[in-house]
Amino acid sequence: MNITRENVDALNAVVKVDIAKEDYSDKVDKILSDYRKTANIPGFRKGHVPMGMVKKQYGKAVLVDEVNKLLQDALNKYLAEEKLDVLGQPLPKAQDDINWDADGFSFEFELGLAPEFEVNLKGKKAITQYSIIADDKMIDEQIERIQKQYGKLVSQEVVEKDSEITGVYANEEKDIDNTVTLTLDKFKGKATAKQFIGAKVGDVITLKTKGLFDDEHDLMHALKLGHDEVHGLDIEVNFTISEINERQLADLDQELFDKLFGNGEVTSVTELRAKIKEDAEKQFVQQADQKLLNDVTEYLVESTKFDLPAEFLTKWMQTAGEKEMDADQAKEEYEKSEKSLRYQLIEGKLIADNNVQVTMDDIKNHAREMIKGQMAQFGQMNPSDKELDDIAARVLSNQDEARRISEQLISQKLLEVYKEKANLKVKELSYENFVKEVYGDK
């Protein structure tokens, strides 16, 4: 067997594999000999079928199968030995009818080669690294929510601005009959809220669904309808008041602190505020990190310039998926996936250059911590090591889950590289201002 390569250019090559008779003949003869021992052909005793008849019936199929196996093994070994960084998979070049009666065969494969490039994390323009803080306004709002949650309801005669109103939304035509508890601040327009002020138990308020809430999800909850049913819905519904209450805020005392955090963990309003701030800012880190990861990814794709074997990849995509595509479909698919492919190559380069590694111990430890956090949500605060190990083993027996955790850890380690080496500028701001700046006023 002989394998040669011709580099068409820096991104494309053709590999030629020449297979001689001596490369496959022994294997083919052995398989046919085994077939002869077990073949059931009318007129012949088992094991006594003439070899000529076996070759005539099975020879070509066995030959084709063995040559293909030999070809695939040789090609994979060659790519590994030559350390060729290929994109996609080798594509066999079209051949006219192969003469399977010949003593040797030649096959050619097109290769798409990964480009060589450098990654520069130190761009001229600094990327913003957000540091999100819990400001006094947020802490005050959180404390009020806690006081409401643990407060008590006091019955009222009439609806006031801050009342909690229980009642039934109804529309006979649309078969709407849903009991909810609401507060007036949920409504989009002030005029709607005014309709409720001064109302009593038993009063019926007629409301238009169009523009009733800012968010369609609120309308879905109010009417107990699906998204498609509420989208563009413009009808009248009646709301019959069945209960009016004032929610009196819970006192900020030791009893409340112990309910929230355990006995003696928090002993003053000052400590409560500090605890709320600490917990909130821990959660903000994940959002800030995700934003940084997205921005650095975007920067790297835009600033790292290299060519790709686009024609080869487009051709490869025609047969790579479960469903074959024509040339136009493959071109469209390539254009959609090019950005993702570029980042995969950049990420691979960064992983190699910075020796980013994820070990099995890393994956197990991450799975354990993830499970520990989930168990804590259900009140299991101190699971044993054996419990954690057993659950982690079950989780990681799922290859998709193990791969997902591995990818998460790679992203975390790359994020550490970005924080250390990229040109970043830290910007501290409140969560409210972070949302406005990053996502706009929505």
Side-chain angles (χ1 to χ4, degrees):
M1 183 184 299
N2 185 43
I3 302 180
T4 56
R5 181 175 86 247
E6 179 188 348
N7 290 329
V8 178
D9 54 37
L11 299 173
N12 295 275
V14 174
V15 169
K16 184 180 180 184
V17 183
D18 294 317
I19 298 178
K21 187 173 183 178
E22 57 266 25
D23 295 321
Y24 59 80
S25 58
D26 287 348
K27 287 184 179 178
V28 170
D29 289 345
K30 183 178 184 311
I31 292 170
L32 291 175
S33 179
D34 291 341
Y35 275 17
R36 183 178 181 229
K37 293 174 187 176
T38 58
N40 284 312
I41 295 178
F44 296 95
R45 282 185 299 144
K46 193 173 182 179
H48 291 271
V49 179
M51 181 56 80
M53 186 172 287
V54 173
K55 284 184 177 181
K56 185 176 181 181
Q57 187 162 349
Y58 302 109
K60 188 172 182 180
V62 171
L63 172 64
V64 171
D65 190 44
E66 284 306 306
V67 167
N68 279 330
K69 284 181 187 175
L70 193 63
L71 187 60
Q72 198 60 54
D73 289 345
L75 191 58
N76 290 337
K77 186 179 178 183
Y78 174 80
L79 295 177
E81 288 176 349
E82 293 292 309
K83 295 183 172 60
L84 290 177
D85 193 0
V86 299
L87 302 179
Q89 294 292 332
L91 285 177
K93 292 187 78 170
Q95 289 180 265
D96 294 331
D97 289 342
I98 299 171
N99 179 13
W100 291 104
D101 294 323
D103 287 340
F105 310 99
S106 289
F107 301 92
E108 291 186 337
F109 293 85
E110 296 178 63
L111 302 182
L113 305 177
E116 293 186 5
F117 58 90
E118 296 299 323
V119 180
N120 178 23
L121 282 168
K122 291 281 187 185
K124 290 181 181 178
K125 186 179 179 183
I127 298 169
T128 301
Q129 179 184 359
Y130 290 98
S131 174
I132 309 171
I133 61 168
D135 59 5
D136 287 340
K137 180 185 175 187
M138 169 173 271
I139 296 169
D140 290 341
E141 288 173 349
Q142 179 63 14
I143 288 175
E144 186 176 343
R145 279 194 290 273
I146 291 169
Q147 287 181 282
K148 282 183 178 178
Q149 182 182 347
Y150 289 90
K152 61 181 180 180
L153 291 175
V154 178
S155 181
Q156 291 180 300
E157 291 293 323
V158 298
V159 175
E160 298 178 10
K161 184 170 74 76
D162 295 322
S163 297
E164 287 190 12
I165 310 150
T166 300
V168 180
Y169 283 106
N171 179 287
E172 193 172 333
E173 183 186 345
K174 293 286 185 180
D175 198 24
I176 295 167
D177 183 13
N178 189 40
T179 301
V180 297
T181 297
L182 57 83
T183 53
L184 298 181
D185 60 333
K186 278 285 186 182
F187 293 119
K188 184 175 181 179
K190 291 181 180 178
T192 303
K194 279 184 181 178
Q195 288 182 259
F196 283 83
I197 300 297
K200 299 178 181 179
V201 170
D203 286 354
V204 179
I205 313 292
T206 300
L207 304 167
K208 285 187 174 292
T209 57
K210 187 176 182 181
L212 190 59
F213 300 103
D214 277 317
D215 191 336
E216 280 189 350
H217 288 90
D218 289 328
L219 189 59
M220 290 164 59
H221 170 72
L223 306 184
K224 207 171 182 180
L225 295 176
H227 182 270
D228 291 341
E229 294 174 292
V230 302
H231 186 65
L233 186 66
D234 187 8
I235 61 171
E236 286 188 345
V237 291
N238 291 326
F239 185 87
T240 304
I241 299 173
S242 59
E243 197 176 323
I244 307 167
N245 293 300
E246 173 194 8
R247 185 170 289 275
Q248 292 185 347
L249 300 182
D251 292 330
L252 295 175
D253 56 16
Q254 194 59 47
E255 183 182 354
L256 178 61
F257 300 155
D258 289 348
K259 278 182 185 175
L260 293 170
F261 304 107
N263 291 341
E265 291 295 318
V266 170
T267 59
S268 67
V269 174
T270 301
E271 289 181 11
L272 172 66
R273 295 181 69 86
K275 181 69 174 168
I276 290 171
K277 182 179 177 67
E278 179 188 358
D279 290 347
E281 289 179 356
K282 278 181 184 176
Q283 295 178 29
F284 297 155
V285 168
Q286 188 175 353
Q287 284 182 269
D289 281 352
Q290 187 58 55
K291 172 62 177 166
L292 178 61
L293 196 60
N294 293 344
D295 289 347
V296 174
T297 298
E298 193 70 28
Y299 157 74
L300 289 171
V301 171
E302 293 300 320
S303 65
T304 309
K305 305 297 183 185
F306 53 82
D307 292 326
L308 288 169
E311 187 177 336
F312 168 84
L313 289 170
T314 303
K315 193 188 299 184
W316 170 69
M317 283 182 172
Q318 287 186 249
T319 55
E322 292 180 8
K323 193 175 179 182
E324 286 200 18
M325 293 182 277
D326 61 30
D328 289 338
Q329 289 172 322
K331 183 179 179 184
E332 184 181 346
E333 184 63 27
Y334 172 74
E335 288 170 353
K336 282 194 293 187
S337 59
E338 183 184 356
K339 191 172 181 179
S340 172
L341 176 57
R342 285 182 177 278
Y343 182 66
Q344 286 176 29
L345 291 170
I346 293 167
E347 185 181 66
K349 175 76 171 165
L350 286 166
I351 288 169
D353 288 352
N354 294 279
N355 196 29
V356 174
Q357 296 179 356
V358 172
T359 65
M360 197 60 214
D361 283 342
D362 291 334
I363 294 172
K364 286 178 182 176
N365 290 334
H366 184 84
R368 280 170 54 95
E369 289 305 311
M370 181 179 71
I371 293 160
K372 200 172 179 180
Q374 290 171 349
M375 293 176 78
Q377 291 177 5
F378 294 96
Q380 295 175 265
M381 304 306 293
N382 294 299
S384 68
D385 285 342
K386 186 178 185 310
E387 279 182 291
L388 291 172
D389 287 340
D390 288 347
I391 298 172
R394 287 200 297 274
V395 169
L396 297 177
S397 67
N398 182 324
Q399 289 187 346
D400 289 339
E401 189 63 22
R403 184 167 53 250
R404 186 184 68 79
I405 291 173
S406 176
E407 289 170 354
Q408 280 182 347
L409 289 171
I410 291 274
S411 288
Q412 287 177 13
K413 290 180 181 253
L414 280 174
L415 189 63
E416 291 167 13
V417 172
Y418 299 157
K419 287 180 178 180
E420 178 189 346
K421 297 186 176 182
N423 182 11
L424 305 178
K425 60 176 181 182
V426 177
K427 184 172 185 178
E428 187 178 278
L429 73 181
S430 69
Y431 182 73
E432 183 180 2
N433 288 333
F434 169 77
V435 171
K436 284 180 182 176
E437 183 164 318
V438 173
Y439 305 108
D441 290 307
K442 293 181 181 177

